[in-house]
Amino acid sequence: MSKPLNILFVSSEVEPFAKTGGLADVSGTLPQVIKDQGHEIRIIMPRYGSISERKFKLHDVIRLKDIEVPIGKEKKIANVNSSFIANVKSKVQVYFLANKELYERPGIYTSPDSKKDYVDNDVRFIFFCRGVLETLKRLGWQPDIIHCNDWQTGLIPAYIKTMYNHDPFFKNIKTVFTIHNLAYQGTFPAAAFDKTGLPEAEFGKEGVEFFGKLNFMKAGLVYSDVITTVSEKYAEEICSTEEFGCGLEGVLQKRKSQLHGIINGIDYNIWNPETDELIIKRYDMRTLEGKQDNKKELLAKFGLAYKVNVPLVGIISRLVDQKGLDLIKEIADDFMKLDVQFVMLAAGEKRYQDYFESLHKKYAAKMGLFIGYNDELAHLIEAGCDMYLMPSRYEPCGLNQLYSLKYGTVPIVRATGGLDDTIHDVESGNGNGFKFKKYDSKELFKTIQRALKMYHDTAAWKKIMKNGMQQDFSWESSAKKYTNLYRNLVKQ
Ligand code: ADP
Ligand code: GLC
């Protein structure tokens, strides 16, 4: 057996502490699986105001009191709290980097009232990136690998390769940077660069500068030792065109040999119809009738009538351009005229919220809408629906189509990123869902019609459900891919 590795996993969202999307699901589970595989891994995230001290039994780490973090010419003070996440096998320590002024707010990145990004997000995440390194030093715990995730952690590889490189404590630490979504880059006016404390020379084309601005994501891509992203298809897409690469395609092409696509797994301790405590009736492949009880409960929750043989289509989504909502808008009237019912759980941009509210008013007898964040309802939608709609414009991995497969809820998706890698159209034989290629509302509509037709062939439909339910998207094999990457880096 080779020696266990020490890994620090850095993320701005970790389930169950703070979540806006799939990054939290990944950060809450992948480290546990890596620990189960025999490594020492710890997590660090910001201590947001929404994280309850009582619920999570947070305690101060005395050794980590009053750490000074330079921000430009100023110094801000960080304190560190700690808690754990645990599964049946192992416990992972989670550190929370605390600073009241920066993190004690109702939102994670944006103000829930104005729906605008906090204006000092540059300082909040410069403080986080630098604070993480200062914490390690104070702790005296020297990981082999720092695994960074998304733009909020992008400066860490830049610090390690430049300023902190002169310190023997950091000299041998390797960094892995995972892209969960390239469209969110953390770009700030050039003046923000001075607050980073990075050497002047790094603010250039080969460094953290992007069209005159500070770009956190670019920093992660340029300075990390290895880059990963969350599906093989998305890894190809982001190098190929500006549409997917969001302007960073050139930077990625240069690093193509160090870019790896590793598909996300899912946590079957949380998302599993056989054990899910948040649904009305538990079921598996042999007891599919149980799904009907969940469908009844879900429809009742939305005040909709239960109708035998009328398929129920569901969506759980952030309301952002990424998710293909404009395609749904274009076909909405035709879709609602079909013999279907439709439920949606979503939160995000106001223009989409207003639109779906108006659609709901128009079709109140067939459509249910919940605007907001609701974990319990998300589980019931996965269990109670017959089909799950995900026509994304782009999708780095996507988790809801994977949850849907496990719950026997047949996905209808656009062939992009992780959706393309995980959903196989029934037309190709033994498929687990329905898929269309072109980002076009007519294609989406035809695909929905195809699914509805198939739904009424009960035997064929059950076969599709079972094909999905049988698949295994647990984390073990993807976690191994990460630890192999870590291992190769440590050898270098
Ligand atoms: P993304 O991270 O791009 O939003 P994913 O499919 O990777 O997409 O992950 C989304 C995660 O967030 C899933 O766990 C999903 O159930 C959850 N989610 C999204 N919107 C809501 C909501 N309004 N309420 C509850 N959970 C939500
Ligand atoms: C991002 C992506 C999503 C992915 C998630 C977790 O939010 O939009 O596709 O599943 O990260 O990696």
Side-chain angles (χ1 to χ4, degrees):
M1 246 288 284
S2 34
K3 197 172 133 265
L5 298 165
N6 288 327
I7 306 129
L8 181 71
F9 192 91
V10 191
S11 177
S12 59
E13 296 181 26
V14 182
E15 178 71 1
F17 306 108
K19 167 167 171 174
T20 68
L23 170 63
D25 300 37
V26 172
S27 306
T29 304
L30 172 61
Q32 287 200 34
V33 179
I34 290 174
K35 182 129 193 190
D36 291 348
Q37 294 178 354
H39 302 284
E40 173 55 21
I41 182 163
R42 303 181 193 176
I43 300 172
I44 187 160
M45 68 181 293
R47 163 86 203 270
Y48 304 112
S50 56
I51 301 173
S52 157
E53 186 170 343
R54 268 243 210 115
K55 181 171 169 200
F56 297 113
K57 302 191 173 69
L58 298 195
H59 59 270
D60 287 345
V61 186
I62 303 293
R63 243 189 319 164
L64 302 179
K65 259 201 151 346
D66 297 339
I67 299 171
E68 287 189 342
V69 183
I71 300 286
K73 292 196 176 73
E74 254 188 87
K75 282 200 163 71
K76 290 192 185 289
I77 299 296
N79 285 294
V80 181
N81 311 127
S82 169
S83 183
F84 291 96
I85 44 179
N87 62 15
V88 278
K89 206 164 157 194
S90 39
K91 247 180 168 186
V92 175
Q93 180 152 29
V94 184
Y95 295 116
F96 300 88
L97 194 78
N99 175 292
K100 281 212 169 82
E101 174 210 339
L102 297 177
Y103 302 130
E104 287 261 354
R105 307 177 185 184
I108 297 183
Y109 314 120
T110 52
S111 150
D113 299 331
S114 69
K115 294 197 188 282
K116 293 217 170 84
D117 284 351
Y118 290 123
V119 289
D120 59 349
N121 272 351
D122 54 347
V123 175
R124 295 174 78 225
F125 291 101
I126 290 168
F127 178 86
F128 181 54
C129 291
R130 220 165 157 181
V132 164
L133 300 180
E134 295 297 329
T135 301
L136 280 180
K137 184 100 198 253
R138 177 75 73 88
L139 195 60
W141 183 63
Q142 201 173 21
D144 302 298
I145 301 287
I146 302 183
H147 186 156
C148 304
N149 294 276
D150 268 355
W151 75 262
Q152 295 83 355
T153 64
L155 294 183
I156 292 176
Y159 284 129
I160 294 262
K161 278 274 159 66
T162 59
M163 300 157 66
Y164 285 73
N165 190 34
H166 310 297
D167 183 335
F169 184 85
F170 293 101
K171 213 170 171 43
N172 294 321
I173 298 180
K174 304 285 190 209
T175 55
V176 173
F177 183 78
T178 299
I179 307 164
H180 295 264
N181 196 331
L182 197 60
Y184 301 90
Q185 297 184 357
T187 47
F188 300 95
F193 177 74
D194 296 338
K195 302 175 196 162
T196 65
L198 284 165
E200 210 58 47
E202 307 309 321
F203 194 69
K205 283 207 168 54
E206 305 299 316
V208 303
E209 183 252 352
F210 189 64
F211 292 103
K213 293 188 163 176
L214 167 65
N215 184 320
F216 276 59
M217 176 67 86
K218 187 179 173 214
L221 302 182
V222 169
Y223 298 92
S224 58
D225 293 300
V226 156
I227 306 169
T228 74
T229 188
V230 289
S231 68
E232 285 179 18
K233 185 68 190 267
Y234 191 60
E236 266 171 42
E237 288 171 338
I238 54 180
C239 292
S240 63
T241 62
E242 195 188 338
E243 186 195 346
F244 290 109
C246 306
L248 291 173
E249 57 285 353
V251 178
L252 284 158
Q253 265 155 23
K254 268 199 201 152
R255 298 217 55 197
K256 213 167 173 180
S257 61
Q258 294 118 332
L259 168 66
H260 304 263
I262 302 179
I263 193 83
N264 286 332
I266 65 173
D267 190 336
Y268 290 120
N269 293 316
I270 301 174
W271 296 96
N272 184 347
E274 293 165 40
T275 51
D276 194 334
E277 301 275 342
L278 299 176
I279 64 177
I280 283 295
K281 179 90 184 200
R282 282 164 276 289
Y283 61 95
D284 61 19
M285 269 195 299
R286 285 163 299 278
T287 53
L288 278 178
E289 327 73 70
K291 203 166 160 58
Q292 292 308 309
D293 294 317
N294 291 301
K295 183 169 174 177
K296 282 180 195 156
E297 172 72 12
L298 176 60
L299 287 165
K301 267 210 156 82
F302 280 112
L304 299 174
Y306 174 75
K307 293 182 182 162
V308 185
N309 292 331
V310 175
L312 177 58
V313 180
I315 292 183
I316 304 159
S317 187
R318 288 184 295 120
L319 293 173
V320 290
D321 286 343
Q322 173 188 350
K323 300 295 175 179
L325 303 163
D326 48 342
L327 294 191
I328 297 176
K329 196 169 160 182
E330 281 170 34
I331 61 154
D333 285 312
D334 292 332
F335 172 52
M336 293 312 301
K337 282 188 191 114
L338 299 172
D339 194 18
V340 289
Q341 291 176 304
F342 175 42
V343 294
M344 185 166 182
L345 162 63
E349 288 175 24
K350 185 156 184 316
R351 65 195 170 102
Y352 284 123
Q353 186 177 317
D354 292 346
Y355 169 71
F356 283 106
E357 274 169 348
S358 70
L359 188 71
H360 178 228
K361 261 203 196 123
K362 198 164 165 191
Y363 296 102
K366 299 181 81 168
M367 177 179 172
L369 176 69
F370 185 101
I371 296 285
Y373 187 87
N374 188 324
D375 192 40
E376 198 174 327
L377 186 57
H379 283 249
L380 192 61
I381 289 179
E382 288 295 0
C385 286
D386 298 295
M387 300 169 196
Y388 188 86
L389 200 54
M390 207 161 166
S392 305
R393 185 184 285 275
Y394 72 92
E395 196 61 72
C397 176
L399 296 172
N400 281 111
Q401 85 279 15
L402 301 178
Y403 301 151
S404 297
L405 290 175
K406 184 68 184 169
Y407 284 76
T409 304
V410 177
I412 302 173
V413 307
R414 167 144 187 271
T416 183
L419 296 174
D420 201 22
D421 284 351
T422 57
I423 303 304
H424 307 290
D425 194 284
V426 295
E427 261 178 6
S428 57
N430 243 0
N432 57 6
F434 295 81
K435 182 156 92 166
F436 63 101
K437 280 214 165 71
K438 203 164 155 215
Y439 192 74
D440 179 317
S441 58
K442 288 192 203 79
E443 297 283 309
L444 167 63
F445 192 63
K446 271 196 266 170
T447 312
I448 293 175
Q449 283 180 309
R450 216 158 37 87
L452 294 185
K453 196 163 165 221
M454 187 75 95
Y455 176 80
H456 295 290
D457 178 344
T458 312
W461 192 258
K462 269 205 177 137
K463 178 80 177 47
I464 306 169
M465 289 168 76
K466 288 185 178 172
N467 284 347
M469 294 176 90
Q470 268 163 11
Q471 283 185 287
D472 180 4
F473 285 101
S474 53
W475 264 108
E476 277 66 25
S477 70
S478 293
K480 281 241 162 69
K481 289 186 184 156
Y482 281 110
T483 53
N484 284 341
L485 280 183
Y486 301 157
R487 183 81 67 201
N488 287 337
L489 281 179
V490 169
K491 274 192 222 142
Q492 277 172 21

